Amino acid sequence: MNDLASPAPLTPLAALAALLAPEGRALLDEVRGTRPDQELSVATRLRRDHPADLVSAALAQARLRQRAAAKFGAVDAERMFFTPNGVEQSTRTTVATYRAERFRALGVTSVADLCCGIGGDAIALARAGIRVLAVDRDPLTAAVARANAAALGLSELVEVREADVTGIDTAPYDAVFVDPARRGGRGRIFDPEAYSPPLSWAVEAARSAPRAALKIAPGIPHETVPAEAEAEWISDGGDVKEAVLWFGTEPGGSAARVRATLLPGPRTLAGRGLPDPEVRPVGDYLYEPDGAVIRAHLVAEVAEEVGGGLIDETIAYITADELRPTEYATAYRITDQLPFNVKKLKALLRERAVGVLTVKKRGSAVEPEELRRKVKPQGPNAATVFLTRVAGAPTMLVGHPAEPVRPV
Ligand SMILES: C[S@@+](CC[C@H](N)C(=O)[O-])C[C@H]1O[C@@H](n2cnc3c(N)ncnc32)[C@H](O)[C@@H]1O
């Protein structure tokens, strides 16, 4: 090696430290909002006065901040630090805030956040006034969580510890929160025992604390929910985000062990253990329950609310003759029912001059884009078509969103 040899590249931890120092912070300010097509020219200019590694690290961080804005909002994301996995695995602010408020409503003032990642949940807990021990075994991730608590002025409430969660004494805390890593080397992990740490470990940690919440994948089978836990499925803007197993919430009876919570709101539907709704002929209205309601198996609760039944015993669409208010489903006025037949649909849409076609499906293998291509919608009107099954038969239901009815 001679003096002209290039310096060793910055390790991710060293890059973070450099970004937290004054020169790094100034660079982050300079590269804020850089579009991908501008990166090369910005990098070339900045490399004249700054180390190339630091410029690359600042640009990479700017890119991650832009990606994180969808979860954290642009204002927080611009001040925070991220790793690619950290952005991917973190809880979005809306959901983390909802959970933190629920902890607070349960009287919790301190939480051991076991598997804190870059701090999505720890930040929301601290903002709810809760003291947090945030633990992650990955050195870079823990350092990023610490930087985030500092960047958002929450260091007083958040202690970040780089450690394996299995060695943490949670006795000094009111509650435990575990958000295990669910992505392995080859993508998402579906078996809860393959989570890191495994779900069985998290359940034991939950049982040993006065209160606890475990974040899990929304696809978890209901049989996996421990008898004493309450399972809550959470959606945000209609997209199901997660399921949470709550311990120590004292659910009243076995049916209330299941909930669906819809954000924004929150609007929470508690299960009452109703039997499956009856199947009945398609009426004037079709209700599409929110995904959280479906995952929580609470379609019967919504059917009762709107006085409806199912269009098919295996399909989660509710039909009814009248429009009743519900916060847990979107209502459509159904104008036509056709057997599955693309030609007939095309003729009907042409007759109605439908140019904007929304395709929804449940229980059909047809691709919405393919259908839209085949029917070539043209005209000034809009319609929604549901590709589904009615009493076992492949069916198309045509209609449009019903005017919302406000609850009285
Ligand atoms: C899903 S992420 C947590 C995301 C976090 N709740 C947030 O909102 O930013 C899971 C984290 O668990 C950490 N982890 C996995 N197994 C662990 C263990 N045994 N001890 C400590 N941390 C662990 C991983 O490093 C990863 O950062």
Side-chain angles (χ1 to χ4, degrees):
M1 286 287 198
N2 59 40
D3 290 342
L4 294 177
S6 49
L10 284 177
T11 63
L13 258 180
L16 175 67
L19 288 176
L20 289 167
E23 184 182 6
R25 288 185 184 276
L27 266 179
L28 282 172
D29 283 343
E30 280 217 46
V31 300
R32 176 171 300 142
T34 303
R35 294 194 315 264
D37 61 309
Q38 300 169 320
E39 278 189 10
L40 190 60
S41 61
V42 170
T44 309
R45 174 171 57 80
L46 293 175
R47 277 179 189 147
R48 288 186 207 124
D49 302 316
H50 303 278
D53 274 4
L54 187 56
V55 172
S56 301
L59 281 167
Q61 195 55 237
R63 231 178 289 139
L64 290 173
R65 285 175 165 182
Q66 286 171 25
R67 216 191 311 154
K71 280 188 173 180
F72 292 91
V75 174
D76 279 353
E78 279 305 334
R79 295 155 72 194
M80 292 170 66
F81 295 84
F82 300 96
T83 63
N85 280 343
V87 183
E88 198 69 30
Q89 300 192 7
S90 57
T91 307
R92 58 185 48 240
T93 302
T94 44
V95 179
T97 302
Y98 164 71
R99 260 197 275 96
E101 295 295 343
R102 199 167 169 203
F103 263 130
R104 202 174 59 166
L106 289 166
V108 166
T109 62
S110 62
V111 169
D113 176 2
L114 307 179
C115 293
C116 69
I118 54 104
D121 286 289
I123 289 164
L125 289 164
R127 281 185 167 158
I130 293 170
R131 194 166 55 79
V132 188
L133 170 69
V135 184
D136 205 288
R137 69 177 171 191
D138 178 61
L140 177 64
T141 306
V144 170
R146 198 172 290 118
N148 285 337
L152 300 177
L154 299 167
S155 297
E156 296 256 302
L157 281 167
V158 182
E159 177 199 341
V160 178
R161 205 177 292 170
E162 179 197 320
D164 195 298
V165 294
T166 54
I168 299 293
D169 174 15
T170 60
Y173 300 89
D174 292 346
V176 159
F177 172 67
V178 193
D179 178 7
R182 284 185 267 139
R183 282 180 179 78
R186 277 178 286 150
R188 277 174 187 274
I189 294 173
F190 294 103
D191 171 11
E193 282 312 292
Y195 291 178
S196 176
L199 184 60
S200 53
W201 180 88
V203 167
E204 285 315 310
R207 284 182 174 142
S208 69
R211 301 189 195 287
L214 314 181
K215 175 175 159 183
I216 50 175
I220 188 158
H222 283 225
E223 314 81 78
T224 320
V225 176
E228 78 273 39
E230 173 208 301
E232 179 177 32
W233 277 262
I234 302 176
S235 67
D236 189 10
D239 292 329
V240 183
K241 295 299 177 193
E242 65 178 51
V244 196
L245 301 182
W246 291 93
F247 293 73
T249 53
E250 282 126 323
S254 64
R257 288 183 51 234
V258 175
R259 293 177 175 222
T261 291
L262 282 57
L263 302 176
R267 293 160 282 160
T268 294
L269 180 66
R272 286 183 288 122
L274 299 183
D276 287 344
E278 60 176 29
V279 175
R280 62 164 76 171
V282 177
D284 286 342
Y285 293 93
L286 189 78
Y287 294 85
E288 182 185 30
D290 183 273
V293 169
I294 296 173
R295 293 280 198 172
H297 298 177
L298 297 181
V299 174
E301 277 71 359
V302 176
E304 191 189 70
E305 196 175 45
V306 301
L310 296 182
I311 61 168
D312 183 286
E313 63 180 8
T314 62
I315 303 284
Y317 282 140
I318 299 166
T319 185
D321 294 326
E322 55 176 289
L323 186 58
R324 288 202 200 158
T326 174
E327 302 206 80
Y328 303 105
T330 308
Y332 293 84
R333 173 90 167 90
I334 296 301
T335 52
D336 302 270
Q337 176 175 349
L338 315 173
F340 187 91
N341 183 315
V342 177
K343 272 194 188 149
K344 281 195 176 146
L345 178 69
K346 192 171 177 176
L348 182 87
L349 297 178
R350 184 165 306 156
E351 190 188 302
R352 306 267 164 86
V354 170
V356 182
L357 183 66
T358 304
V359 182
K360 293 187 166 271
K361 62 170 199 163
R362 204 166 272 288
S364 167
V366 175
E367 282 306 322
E369 259 324 300
E370 191 190 324
L371 182 78
R372 220 177 272 118
R373 242 193 343 269
K374 283 187 183 157
V375 299
K376 300 190 185 68
Q378 270 180 347
N381 300 323
T384 304
V385 60
F386 295 86
L387 310 177
T388 187
R389 277 199 309 273
V390 170
T395 302
M396 297 169 147
L397 300 174
V398 182
H400 50 79
E403 289 296 318
V405 188
R406 296 268 156 248
V408 278

